[in-house]
Amino acid sequence: MDANKVVCKEFCMQMFHQIQDDEKFLDSVIFVDESTFHVSGKVSTHNCKICGSENPLVCLEHVRDSPKVNVFCTLSKEIMYSPFFFLETTITGIIYLDMLQEFLIPQLDEDDQEGRLHFQQDGAPPHYLGEVSKYLNTRFPGRWIGRAAPIAWPPRSPDLTPLDIFLWGFVKDRVFVPPLPANVVELRTRITASVAEVTPEMLRSVWQETDYRWDVCRITNGSHIEP
């Protein structure tokens, strides 16, 4: 078994025991992530799966180095939070930390009166800044999942998070329906509208899928799961 599979299995085993001890554990997890959207419709499928609703034989011409936006999304089993659009084209650890402190955490504070939420982020470089880890250790002591976190997130595991399993594909499938956005303003408008289409029923279904995938990963010794 390669090293990445070992880490994935260990994580899913840990989650299995957490859920065995507290059946509401997965319900308490808040998942976050960023994604890049290009006006031209250029899409990276590395971390998301897209099920197209249009004719798969239609070819779209993409513009090289077209304008883009970096968007941050947060979802829980019950809530799809409004997206955050970074003004910067490159996200650093400091920019990411400022967003957490000024935008996301104040919203989570309102929904976490009992201090039960668990915060998940992947191992992207901005997430790994020392100041980010210190802040999350203060805000979610022992209750956050990520790189060098109290609960270690396995690297290269987009098949285990609701954003990569569902959200980014769902949004991009709607945003990039021809005619493509004319500019960044229209692109942001489409993204916001698409995120607003996510219903509580969808989220509950995605949480069931996430639970299933974690369990399959555990049983299959850390293997990745295709859609």
Side-chain angles (χ1 to χ4, degrees):
M1 191 188 309
D2 63 45
N4 192 56
K5 285 187 175 181
V6 171
V7 176
C8 286
K9 180 181 178 181
E10 289 176 350
F11 169 79
C12 291
M13 283 294 298
Q14 185 177 6
M15 294 301 95
F16 173 77
H17 291 302
Q18 287 271 19
I19 294 170
Q20 288 289 101
D21 293 338
D22 177 8
E23 63 180 13
K24 298 290 187 181
F25 171 78
L26 183 55
D27 297 355
S28 73
V29 181
I30 298 287
F31 292 88
V32 307
D33 197 14
E34 308 90 36
S35 187
T36 301
F37 289 71
H38 293 260
V39 169
S40 68
K42 174 184 175 183
V43 174
S44 170
T45 57
H46 178 68
N47 280 349
C48 70
K49 304 297 182 182
I50 298 178
C51 299
S53 58
E54 302 299 315
N55 186 345
L57 300 181
V58 172
C59 295
L60 299 177
E61 181 178 352
H62 296 310
V63 179
R64 182 180 177 86
D65 300 325
S66 71
K68 64 182 181 180
V69 298
N70 291 310
V71 58
F72 174 89
C73 281
T74 308
L75 68 165
S76 72
K77 184 181 179 182
E78 301 295 335
I79 301 173
M80 180 72 242
Y81 290 83
S82 298
F84 178 87
F85 295 96
F86 291 96
L87 296 178
E88 300 81 4
T89 56
T90 300
I91 305 170
T92 66
I94 293 299
I95 291 170
Y96 178 72
L97 178 59
D98 287 344
M99 181 277 302
L100 291 180
Q101 293 175 327
E102 301 298 327
F103 174 76
L104 179 60
I105 300 304
Q107 296 182 72
L108 297 186
D109 286 340
E110 296 181 4
D111 300 328
D112 191 23
Q113 301 297 323
E114 299 180 1
R116 281 184 46 83
L117 290 183
H118 288 73
F119 180 92
Q120 185 276 340
Q121 62 180 16
D122 63 21
H127 304 171
Y128 192 51
L129 183 72
E131 285 84 349
V132 172
S133 296
K134 291 177 183 177
Y135 178 70
L136 293 176
N137 280 330
T138 299
R139 175 57 186 81
F140 302 98
R143 293 184 290 112
W144 68 280
I145 305 167
R147 186 178 176 186
I151 303 174
W153 178 253
R156 298 177 295 280
S157 301
D159 54 329
L160 299 180
T161 79
L163 289 110
D164 292 319
I165 293 169
F166 161 71
L167 183 68
W168 297 132
F170 175 86
V171 173
K172 290 182 178 181
D173 188 39
R174 282 153 179 75
V175 167
F176 296 123
V177 173
L180 296 178
N183 49 51
V184 167
V185 173
E186 184 179 345
L187 178 60
R188 290 181 179 180
T189 299
R190 289 196 189 189
I191 293 170
T192 301
S194 299
V195 168
E197 291 183 30
V198 177
T199 66
E201 290 75 16
M202 290 179 185
L203 293 175
R204 287 191 285 271
S205 177
V206 173
W207 249 245
Q208 291 178 349
E209 174 72 11
T210 302
D211 188 16
Y212 167 77
R213 283 171 175 258
W214 288 5
D215 209 32
V216 169
C217 178
R218 173 183 66 86
I219 294 170
T220 59
N221 295 318
S223 297
H224 284 290
I225 306 164
E226 293 300 322

